[in-house]
Coordinates of all heavy atoms in Angstrom, one line a residue:
M1317 N 0.8 -1.2 0.0 CA 0.0 0.0 0.0 C 0.9 1.2 0.0 O 1.8 1.3 0.8 CB -0.9 0.0 1.2 CG -1.8 1.2 1.3 SD -3.2 1.0 2.4 CE -2.5 1.6 3.9
T1318 N 0.6 2.2 -0.9 CA 1.3 3.4 -0.9 C 0.7 4.5 -0.1 O -0.4 4.3 0.4 CB 1.4 3.9 -2.4 OG1 0.1 4.3 -2.8 CG2 2.0 2.9 -3.3
D1319 N 1.4 5.6 0.1 CA 0.8 6.7 0.9 C -0.5 7.2 0.2 O -1.4 7.6 0.9 CB 1.8 7.8 1.0 CG 3.0 7.5 1.9 OD1 2.9 6.5 2.7 OD2 4.0 8.2 1.8
R1320 N -0.5 7.2 -1.1 CA -1.7 7.7 -1.8 C -2.9 6.8 -1.5 O -4.1 7.3 -1.6 CB -1.5 7.8 -3.3 CG -0.4 8.9 -3.6 CD -0.3 9.0 -5.1 NE -1.5 9.3 -5.8 CZ -2.1 10.5 -5.8 NH1 -1.6 11.5 -5.2 NH2 -3.2 10.7 -6.5
D1321 N -2.7 5.6 -1.2 CA -3.8 4.7 -0.9 C -4.3 4.7 0.5 O -5.3 4.1 0.9 CB -3.4 3.2 -1.2 CG -3.1 3.0 -2.7 OD1 -3.7 3.8 -3.5 OD2 -2.3 2.2 -3.0
M1322 N -3.5 5.4 1.4 CA -3.9 5.5 2.8 C -5.3 6.1 3.0 O -5.5 7.2 2.4 CB -2.8 6.2 3.6 CG -3.1 6.4 5.0 SD -1.9 7.4 5.9 CE -1.9 8.9 5.0
I1323 N -6.1 5.5 3.8 CA -7.5 6.1 4.0 C -7.3 7.1 5.1 O -6.9 6.9 6.2 CB -8.4 4.9 4.5 CG1 -8.6 3.9 3.4 CG2 -9.8 5.5 4.8 CD1 -9.2 4.4 2.1
V1324 N -7.8 8.3 4.7 CA -7.8 9.5 5.7 C -9.1 9.5 6.4 O -9.2 9.6 7.6 CB -7.5 10.8 5.0 CG1 -7.6 12.0 5.9 CG2 -6.1 10.8 4.4
C1325 N -10.2 9.4 5.6 CA -11.5 9.5 6.2 C -12.1 8.0 6.2 O -12.4 7.5 5.2 CB -12.5 10.4 5.4 SG -14.2 10.4 6.0
R1326 N -12.1 7.4 7.4 CA -12.5 6.0 7.5 C -14.0 5.9 7.2 O -14.4 4.9 6.7 CB -12.1 5.4 8.8 CG -10.6 5.4 9.1 CD -10.3 4.8 10.4 NE -10.8 5.7 11.4 CZ -10.5 5.7 12.7 NH1 -9.7 4.8 13.1 NH2 -11.0 6.5 13.6
C1327 N -14.8 6.8 7.7 CA -16.2 6.7 7.6 C -16.7 6.7 6.1 O -17.6 6.0 5.7 CB -16.9 7.8 8.3 SG -16.5 7.9 10.1
E1328 N -16.1 7.6 5.3 CA -16.4 7.7 3.9 C -15.4 7.0 3.0 O -15.6 7.1 1.7 CB -16.6 9.2 3.5 CG -17.8 9.8 4.2 CD -19.1 9.3 3.8 OE1 -19.3 8.9 2.6 OE2 -20.0 9.3 4.7
E1329 N -14.4 6.4 3.5 CA -13.3 5.7 2.8 C -12.7 6.6 1.7 O -12.6 6.2 0.5 CB -13.9 4.4 2.1 CG -14.3 3.4 3.2 CD -14.8 2.1 2.6 OE1 -14.8 2.0 1.4 OE2 -15.2 1.2 3.4
V1330 N -12.3 7.8 2.1 CA -11.6 8.7 1.2 C -10.1 8.6 1.4 O -9.6 8.7 2.6 CB -12.1 10.2 1.5 CG1 -11.4 11.1 0.5 CG2 -13.6 10.3 1.4
S1331 N -9.4 8.4 0.3 CA -7.9 8.2 0.4 C -7.2 9.5 0.4 O -7.7 10.5 0.0 CB -7.4 7.3 -0.7 OG -7.5 8.0 -1.9
Y1332 N -5.9 9.4 0.9 CA -5.0 10.6 0.8 C -4.8 11.1 -0.6 O -4.9 12.3 -0.9 CB -3.7 10.2 1.5 CG -2.6 11.3 1.4 CD1 -2.7 12.4 2.2 CD2 -1.6 11.2 0.4 CE1 -1.7 13.4 2.2 CE2 -0.7 12.2 0.4 CZ -0.7 13.3 1.2 OH 0.2 14.3 1.2
G1333 N -4.6 10.1 -1.5 CA -4.4 10.5 -2.9 C -5.6 11.2 -3.5 O -5.5 12.2 -4.3
E1334 N -6.8 10.8 -3.2 CA -8.1 11.4 -3.7 C -8.2 12.9 -3.2 O -8.5 13.8 -3.9 CB -9.3 10.6 -3.3 CG -10.6 11.1 -3.8 CD -11.8 10.3 -3.4 OE1 -11.6 9.2 -2.8 OE2 -12.9 10.8 -3.6
L1335 N -7.8 13.0 -1.9 CA -7.9 14.4 -1.3 C -6.8 15.3 -1.9 O -7.1 16.4 -2.3 CB -7.6 14.3 0.2 CG -8.8 13.7 1.0 CD1 -8.3 13.4 2.4 CD2 -10.0 14.6 1.0
V1336 N -5.6 14.8 -2.1 CA -4.5 15.6 -2.7 C -4.9 16.0 -4.2 O -4.7 17.1 -4.6 CB -3.2 14.9 -2.6 CG1 -2.1 15.6 -3.4 CG2 -2.7 14.8 -1.2
D1337 N -5.3 15.0 -4.9 CA -5.7 15.3 -6.3 C -6.8 16.3 -6.4 O -6.8 17.2 -7.2 CB -6.1 14.0 -7.0 CG -5.0 13.0 -7.2 OD1 -3.8 13.4 -7.1 OD2 -5.2 11.8 -7.5
T1338 N -7.8 16.1 -5.6 CA -9.0 17.1 -5.7 C -8.6 18.5 -5.2 O -9.0 19.4 -5.9 CB -10.1 16.5 -4.8 OG1 -10.5 15.2 -5.2 CG2 -11.3 17.5 -4.9
A1339 N -7.8 18.5 -4.2 CA -7.3 19.8 -3.7 C -6.5 20.5 -4.7 O -6.6 21.7 -4.9 CB -6.6 19.7 -2.4
G1340 N -5.6 19.8 -5.4 CA -4.7 20.4 -6.4 C -5.5 20.8 -7.6 O -5.2 21.8 -8.2
Q1341 N -6.4 20.0 -8.0 CA -7.2 20.3 -9.3 C -8.1 21.5 -9.1 O -8.2 22.3 -10.0 CB -8.0 19.1 -9.6 CG -8.8 19.3 -10.9 CD -9.7 18.0 -11.3 OE1 -9.6 17.0 -10.6 NE2 -10.4 18.1 -12.4
F1342 N -8.7 21.6 -8.0 CA -9.7 22.7 -7.8 C -9.3 23.8 -6.8 O -10.0 24.8 -6.6 CB -11.0 22.1 -7.3 CG -11.7 21.1 -8.2 CD1 -11.6 19.8 -8.0 CD2 -12.3 21.6 -9.3 CE1 -12.2 18.9 -8.8 CE2 -12.9 20.7 -10.2 CZ -12.8 19.3 -10.0
A1343 N -8.0 23.7 -6.3 CA -7.5 24.7 -5.3 C -8.5 24.9 -4.2 O -8.9 26.1 -3.9 CB -7.1 26.0 -6.0
C1344 N -9.0 23.8 -3.6 CA -10.1 23.9 -2.6 C -9.6 24.4 -1.3 O -8.5 24.1 -0.8 CB -10.6 22.5 -2.4 SG -11.3 21.7 -3.9
N1345 N -10.6 25.0 -0.6 CA -10.4 25.3 0.8 C -10.9 24.0 1.5 O -11.4 23.1 0.9 CB -11.0 26.6 1.3 CG -12.5 26.6 1.2 OD1 -13.2 25.5 1.1 ND2 -13.1 27.8 1.1
S1346 N -10.9 24.0 2.8 CA -11.3 22.8 3.6 C -12.7 22.4 3.3 O -13.1 21.3 3.1 CB -11.1 23.0 5.1 OG -9.8 23.2 5.4
R1347 N -13.6 23.4 3.3 CA -15.0 23.1 3.1 C -15.3 22.6 1.7 O -16.1 21.7 1.6 CB -15.8 24.4 3.4 CG -17.3 24.2 3.3 CD -18.1 25.4 3.7 NE -19.5 25.2 3.7 CZ -20.3 25.1 2.6 NH1 -19.7 25.4 1.4 NH2 -21.6 24.9 2.7
E1348 N -14.7 23.2 0.7 CA -14.9 22.7 -0.6 C -14.4 21.3 -0.8 O -15.0 20.5 -1.5 CB -14.2 23.7 -1.6 CG -14.8 25.0 -1.7 CD -13.9 26.0 -2.4 OE1 -12.7 25.8 -2.6 OE2 -14.4 27.1 -2.8
L1349 N -13.2 21.0 -0.2 CA -12.7 19.7 -0.3 C -13.6 18.7 0.4 O -13.8 17.6 -0.1 CB -11.3 19.7 0.4 CG -10.4 18.4 0.2 CD1 -10.2 18.1 -1.3 CD2 -9.1 18.6 0.9
K1350 N -14.2 19.0 1.5 CA -15.1 18.2 2.2 C -16.4 17.9 1.3 O -16.8 16.8 1.1 CB -15.6 18.9 3.5 CG -16.7 18.2 4.2 CD -17.1 19.0 5.4 CE -18.4 18.5 6.0 NZ -18.8 19.3 7.2
L1351 N -16.9 19.0 0.6 CA -18.1 18.8 -0.2 C -17.8 18.0 -1.5 O -18.6 17.2 -1.9 CB -18.6 20.2 -0.6 CG -19.2 21.0 0.6 CD1 -19.6 22.4 0.1 CD2 -20.4 20.3 1.2
R1352 N -16.6 18.1 -2.0 CA -16.2 17.4 -3.2 C -15.9 15.9 -3.0 O -16.2 15.1 -3.9 CB -15.1 18.1 -3.9 CG -15.4 19.4 -4.6 CD -14.2 19.9 -5.3 NE -14.5 21.2 -5.9 CZ -15.1 21.4 -7.1 NH1 -15.4 20.4 -7.8 NH2 -15.3 22.6 -7.5
T1353 N -15.4 15.6 -1.8 CA -14.9 14.2 -1.6 C -15.8 13.5 -0.5 O -15.6 12.3 -0.3 CB -13.5 14.2 -1.1 OG1 -13.4 14.9 0.1 CG2 -12.6 14.8 -2.1
R1354 N -16.6 14.2 0.3 CA -17.3 13.7 1.4 C -16.5 13.4 2.6 O -16.9 12.8 3.6 CB -18.2 12.5 1.0 CG -19.3 12.8 0.1 CD -20.4 11.8 0.0 NE -20.9 11.4 1.3 CZ -21.8 12.0 2.0 NH1 -22.3 13.1 1.6 NH2 -22.2 11.5 3.2
A1355 N -15.2 13.7 2.6 CA -14.3 13.5 3.8 C -14.8 14.4 4.9 O -15.1 15.6 4.7 CB -12.9 13.9 3.4
G1356 N -15.0 13.8 6.1 CA -15.5 14.5 7.2 C -17.0 14.6 7.3 O -17.6 15.2 8.2
M1357 N -17.7 13.8 6.4 CA -19.2 13.9 6.4 C -19.8 12.5 6.9 O -21.0 12.3 6.7 CB -19.7 14.2 5.0 CG -19.3 15.6 4.6 SD -19.8 16.0 2.9 CE -21.5 16.5 3.2
G1358 N -19.0 11.7 7.4 CA -19.4 10.4 7.8 C -20.0 10.3 9.2 O -20.3 11.4 9.8
Y1359 N -20.0 9.1 9.8 CA -20.6 8.9 11.1 C -20.0 9.7 12.2 O -20.6 10.2 13.1 CB -20.5 7.4 11.4 CG -21.3 7.0 12.6 CD1 -22.6 6.9 12.7 CD2 -20.5 6.7 13.8 CE1 -23.3 6.5 13.8 CE2 -21.2 6.4 15.0 CZ -22.6 6.3 15.0 OH -23.2 5.9 16.1
C1360 N -18.6 9.9 12.1 CA -18.0 10.6 13.2 C -18.0 12.1 13.1 O -17.6 12.8 14.0 CB -16.5 10.1 13.3 SG -15.4 10.8 12.1
G1361 N -18.5 12.6 11.9 CA -18.6 14.0 11.8 C -17.3 14.7 11.6 O -17.2 15.9 11.9
G1362 N -16.3 14.0 11.2 CA -15.0 14.7 11.0 C -14.1 14.7 12.2 O -13.0 15.3 12.1
R1363 N -14.4 14.0 13.2 CA -13.5 14.0 14.4 C -12.2 13.3 14.2 O -11.2 13.7 14.8 CB -14.3 13.3 15.6 CG -15.3 14.2 16.2 CD -16.1 13.5 17.3 NE -17.2 14.3 17.8 CZ -18.3 14.4 17.2 NH1 -18.5 13.9 16.0 NH2 -19.3 15.2 17.7
T1364 N -12.1 12.4 13.3 CA -10.9 11.7 13.1 C -10.1 12.2 11.9 O -8.8 12.1 11.9 CB -11.1 10.2 12.8 OG1 -12.0 10.0 11.6 CG2 -11.7 9.5 14.0
C1365 N -10.7 12.8 10.9 CA -10.0 13.3 9.7 C -9.9 14.8 9.5 O -9.2 15.3 8.6 CB -10.6 12.6 8.5 SG -12.3 13.2 8.2
R1366 N -10.5 15.5 10.4 CA -10.6 17.0 10.2 C -9.3 17.7 10.1 O -9.1 18.4 9.2 CB -11.4 17.6 11.4 CG -11.4 19.1 11.4 CD -12.2 19.6 12.6 NE -12.1 21.0 12.7 CZ -11.3 21.6 13.5 NH1 -10.5 21.0 14.3 NH2 -11.2 22.9 13.6
S1367 N -8.4 17.4 10.9 CA -7.1 18.0 10.9 C -6.3 17.7 9.6 O -5.6 18.5 9.0 CB -6.2 17.7 12.1 OG -6.0 16.3 12.3
S1368 N -6.4 16.4 9.2 CA -5.7 16.0 7.9 C -6.3 16.7 6.7 O -5.6 17.1 5.8 CB -5.8 14.5 7.8 OG -5.1 13.8 8.8
V1369 N -7.6 16.8 6.7 CA -8.3 17.4 5.5 C -7.9 18.9 5.5 O -7.6 19.5 4.5 CB -9.8 17.2 5.6 CG1 -10.5 18.1 4.5 CG2 -10.2 15.8 5.4
D1370 N -7.9 19.6 6.7 CA -7.5 21.0 6.8 C -6.1 21.1 6.3 O -5.8 22.1 5.5 CB -7.6 21.5 8.2 CG -9.0 21.8 8.6 OD1 -9.9 22.0 7.7 OD2 -9.2 21.9 9.8
A1371 N -5.2 20.3 6.7 CA -3.7 20.4 6.3 C -3.6 20.2 4.8 O -2.8 20.9 4.2 CB -2.9 19.4 7.1
I1372 N -4.3 19.2 4.2 CA -4.2 19.0 2.8 C -4.7 20.2 2.0 O -4.1 20.6 1.0 CB -4.9 17.7 2.4 CG1 -4.2 16.5 3.0 CG2 -5.0 17.5 0.9 CD1 -5.0 15.2 2.9
A1373 N -5.8 20.7 2.4 CA -6.4 21.9 1.7 C -5.4 23.1 1.9 O -5.2 23.9 0.9 CB -7.7 22.2 2.3
L1374 N -4.8 23.3 3.0 CA -3.9 24.4 3.2 C -2.7 24.3 2.4 O -2.2 25.3 1.8 CB -3.6 24.5 4.7 CG -2.7 25.7 5.1 CD1 -3.5 27.0 4.8 CD2 -2.4 25.7 6.6
A1375 N -2.2 23.1 2.3 CA -0.9 22.8 1.5 C -1.2 23.0 0.0 O -0.3 23.4 -0.8 CB -0.4 21.4 1.8
A1376 N -2.4 22.7 -0.5 CA -2.7 22.8 -1.9 C -2.9 24.2 -2.5 O -2.7 24.4 -3.6 CB -3.9 21.9 -2.2
A1377 N -3.3 25.1 -1.6 CA -3.6 26.4 -2.1 C -3.1 27.5 -1.1 O -3.1 27.2 0.1 CB -5.1 26.6 -2.2
E1378 N -2.6 28.6 -1.6 CA -2.0 29.6 -0.8 C -3.2 30.3 -0.1 O -4.0 31.0 -0.7 CB -1.3 30.6 -1.6 CG 0.0 30.0 -2.2 CD 1.0 29.6 -1.2 OE1 1.1 30.2 -0.1 OE2 1.7 28.5 -1.4
R1379 N -3.3 30.0 1.2 CA -4.4 30.6 2.0 C -3.8 31.0 3.4 O -2.8 30.4 3.9 CB -5.5 29.6 2.2 CG -6.3 29.4 1.0 CD -7.6 28.8 1.3 NE -8.6 28.8 0.2 CZ -8.5 28.3 -0.9 NH1 -7.5 27.6 -1.2 NH2 -9.5 28.4 -1.8
D1380 N -4.5 31.9 4.0 CA -4.2 32.3 5.4 C -4.7 31.2 6.3 O -5.8 30.7 6.2 CB -4.9 33.6 5.7 CG -4.6 34.1 7.1 OD1 -3.7 33.5 7.8 OD2 -5.2 35.0 7.6
N1381 N -3.8 30.7 7.2 CA -4.2 29.6 8.0 C -5.2 30.0 9.1 O -5.6 29.1 9.9 CB -3.0 28.9 8.7 CG -2.2 29.8 9.6 OD1 -2.6 30.9 9.7 ND2 -1.2 29.2 10.2
T1382 N -5.6 31.2 9.2 CA -6.7 31.6 10.1 C -8.1 31.5 9.5 O -9.0 31.8 10.2 CB -6.4 33.1 10.6 OG1 -6.5 33.9 9.5 CG2 -5.1 33.2 11.3
Q1383 N -8.2 31.2 8.2 CA -9.5 31.0 7.6 C -10.2 29.9 8.3 O -9.7 29.0 8.9 CB -9.3 30.7 6.1 CG -8.9 31.9 5.3 CD -8.9 31.6 3.8 OE1 -8.9 30.4 3.4 NE2 -8.9 32.6 3.0
I1384 N -11.5 29.9 8.1 CA -12.4 29.0 8.7 C -12.0 27.5 8.3 O -11.8 27.3 7.1 CB -13.9 29.2 8.3 CG1 -14.3 30.6 8.8 CG2 -14.8 28.2 8.8 CD1 -15.6 31.1 8.3
T1385 N -12.0 26.7 9.3 CA -11.7 25.3 9.0 C -12.9 24.5 9.2 O -14.0 25.0 9.5 CB -10.6 24.8 10.0 OG1 -11.0 24.9 11.3 CG2 -9.3 25.5 9.8
L1386 N -12.8 23.2 9.1 CA -14.0 22.3 9.2 C -14.4 22.3 10.7 O -13.6 22.4 11.6 CB -13.7 20.9 8.8 CG -13.3 20.7 7.4 CD1 -13.0 19.2 7.1 CD2 -14.4 21.1 6.5
K1387 N -15.7 22.2 10.9 CA -16.2 22.2 12.3 C -16.6 20.8 12.7 O -16.8 19.9 11.8 CB -17.4 23.1 12.4 CG -18.6 22.7 11.5 CD -19.7 23.7 11.6 CE -20.8 23.3 10.6 NZ -22.1 23.1 11.2
Y1388 N -16.7 20.6 13.9 CA -17.2 19.3 14.4 C -18.7 19.2 14.4 O -19.3 20.2 14.6 CB -16.7 19.1 15.9 CG -15.2 18.9 16.0 CD1 -14.4 19.9 16.5 CD2 -14.6 17.8 15.6 CE1 -13.1 19.8 16.6 CE2 -13.2 17.6 15.7 CZ -12.5 18.6 16.2 OH -11.1 18.5 16.3
Q1389 N -19.2 18.1 14.2 CA -20.7 17.9 14.1 C -21.1 17.2 15.4 O -20.3 16.4 16.0 CB -21.1 17.0 12.9 CG -20.8 17.7 11.6 CD -21.7 18.9 11.4 OE1 -22.8 19.0 11.8 NE2 -21.1 19.9 10.7
P1390 N -22.3 17.4 15.9 CA -22.8 16.7 17.0 C -23.0 15.2 16.7 O -23.0 14.8 15.5 CB -24.1 17.4 17.3 CG -24.5 18.0 16.1 CD -23.3 18.4 15.4
P1391 N -23.1 14.4 17.7 CA -23.3 12.9 17.5 C -24.5 12.7 16.6 O -25.5 13.5 16.7 CB -23.4 12.3 18.9 CG -22.9 13.3 19.8 CD -23.0 14.7 19.1
V1392 N -24.5 11.6 15.9 CA -25.6 11.2 15.0 C -26.9 11.0 15.9 O -28.0 11.4 15.6 CB -25.3 10.0 14.2 CG1 -26.5 9.5 13.4 CG2 -24.2 10.4 13.2
R1393 N -26.7 10.2 17.0 CA -27.8 9.9 17.9 C -27.6 10.6 19.2 O -26.5 10.4 19.8 CB -28.0 8.4 18.1 CG -28.5 7.8 16.8 CD -28.5 6.3 17.0 NE -27.2 5.8 16.5 CZ -26.7 4.7 16.9 NH1 -27.3 3.9 17.7 NH2 -25.5 4.3 16.4
P1394 N -28.5 11.3 19.8 CA -28.3 11.9 21.1 C -28.2 10.8 22.1 O -28.9 9.8 22.0 CB -29.5 12.8 21.3 CG -30.5 12.4 20.3 CD -29.8 11.7 19.2
V1395 N -27.4 11.1 23.2 CA -27.3 10.1 24.3 C -27.6 10.9 25.5 O -27.1 12.0 25.8 CB -25.8 9.6 24.3 CG1 -25.6 8.7 25.5 CG2 -25.5 8.9 23.0
H1396 N -28.4 10.3 26.4 CA -28.7 10.9 27.7 C -27.6 10.6 28.6 O -27.0 9.6 28.6 CB -30.0 10.3 28.2 CG -31.2 10.6 27.4 ND1 -31.8 11.8 27.3 CD2 -31.9 9.8 26.5 CE1 -32.8 11.7 26.5 NE2 -32.9 10.5 26.0
F1397 N -27.2 11.6 29.5 CA -26.2 11.5 30.4 C -26.4 10.3 31.4 O -25.5 9.6 31.8 CB -25.9 12.7 31.2 CG -25.2 13.8 30.4 CD1 -25.8 15.0 30.1 CD2 -23.9 13.6 29.9 CE1 -25.1 16.0 29.4 CE2 -23.3 14.5 29.1 CZ -23.9 15.7 28.9
G1398 N -27.7 10.1 31.7 CA -28.0 9.0 32.6 C -27.6 7.6 32.0 O -27.3 6.7 32.7
D1399 N -27.7 7.5 30.7 CA -27.4 6.3 30.0 C -25.9 6.0 30.0 O -25.4 4.9 30.1 CB -27.8 6.3 28.5 CG -29.4 6.3 28.4 OD1 -30.0 5.9 29.4 OD2 -29.8 6.7 27.3
L1400 N -25.1 7.1 30.0 CA -23.6 6.9 30.1 C -23.2 6.4 31.4 O -22.2 5.7 31.5 CB -23.0 8.3 29.7 CG -23.2 8.8 28.3 CD1 -22.6 10.2 28.2 CD2 -22.6 7.9 27.3
G1401 N -23.8 6.9 32.5 CA -23.4 6.5 33.8 C -24.2 5.4 34.5 O -24.0 5.1 35.6
A1402 N -25.1 4.9 33.7 CA -26.0 3.8 34.3 C -25.2 2.6 34.6 O -24.4 2.2 33.8 CB -27.2 3.5 33.4
I1403 N -25.5 1.9 35.7 CA -24.9 0.7 36.0 C -25.8 -0.4 35.6 O -27.0 -0.5 35.9 CB -24.6 0.6 37.6 CG1 -23.7 1.7 38.0 CG2 -24.1 -0.8 38.0 CD1 -23.5 1.8 39.5
S1404 N -25.2 -1.4 34.9 CA -26.0 -2.5 34.4 C -26.0 -3.6 35.5 O -25.0 -3.9 36.1 CB -25.3 -3.1 33.1 OG -26.0 -4.2 32.7
N1405 N -27.2 -4.2 35.7 CA -27.4 -5.2 36.7 C -27.6 -6.6 36.0 O -28.5 -7.3 36.4 CB -28.5 -4.9 37.6 CG -28.2 -3.7 38.5 OD1 -27.1 -3.5 38.9 ND2 -29.3 -3.0 38.9
D1406 N -26.8 -6.8 35.0 CA -27.0 -8.1 34.2 C -26.4 -9.3 35.0 O -25.4 -9.3 35.6 CB -26.3 -8.0 32.9 CG -27.1 -7.0 32.0 OD1 -28.3 -6.7 32.2 OD2 -26.5 -6.4 31.0

């Protein structure tokens, strides 16, 4: 497996090569790269790949690094705090 085949976004199975190619072809910012490849739009909402997608987009186009980056999304299903601390009597 080469570096280009490495999966950056596990939820949407987007590879490093796909992100680099898309960012280079369209000079995308992070948001545009996300919309074109779906990286960061999976189940985790970008928690695992956000920083990598931001870095690839920043490297592909001359931009100020203070521009808006990808945001985190809330969980897909809400969880009650009581469920997190509940003790199971199985």
Side-chain angles (χ1 to χ4, degrees):
M1317 180 163 90
T1318 65
D1319 288 344
R1320 294 185 55 78
D1321 296 331
M1322 178 181 59
I1323 299 295
V1324 173
C1325 178
R1326 297 179 297 194
C1327 300
E1328 294 293 327
E1329 296 183 0
V1330 181
S1331 69
Y1332 175 78
E1334 184 179 350
L1335 289 168
V1336 170
D1337 292 344
T1338 303
Q1341 181 179 0
F1342 298 104
C1344 298
N1345 64 23
S1346 298
R1347 184 173 184 281
E1348 292 166 344
L1349 190 57
K1350 172 184 170 180
L1351 294 173
R1352 288 184 183 275
T1353 63
R1354 293 199 46 84
M1357 298 177 83
Y1359 186 76
C1360 77
R1363 284 177 185 78
T1364 58
C1365 64
R1366 175 182 172 257
S1367 59
S1368 297
V1369 173
D1370 283 341
I1372 291 168
L1374 185 61
E1378 295 296 325
R1379 288 194 164 67
D1380 181 12
N1381 63 357
T1382 61
Q1383 286 184 344
I1384 297 173
T1385 60
L1386 297 179
K1387 62 181 176 126
Y1388 292 106
Q1389 296 292 326
V1392 173
R1393 288 177 271 159
V1395 177
H1396 297 284
F1397 284 119
D1399 293 341
L1400 294 175
I1403 298 174
S1404 177
N1405 293 329
D1406 293 336

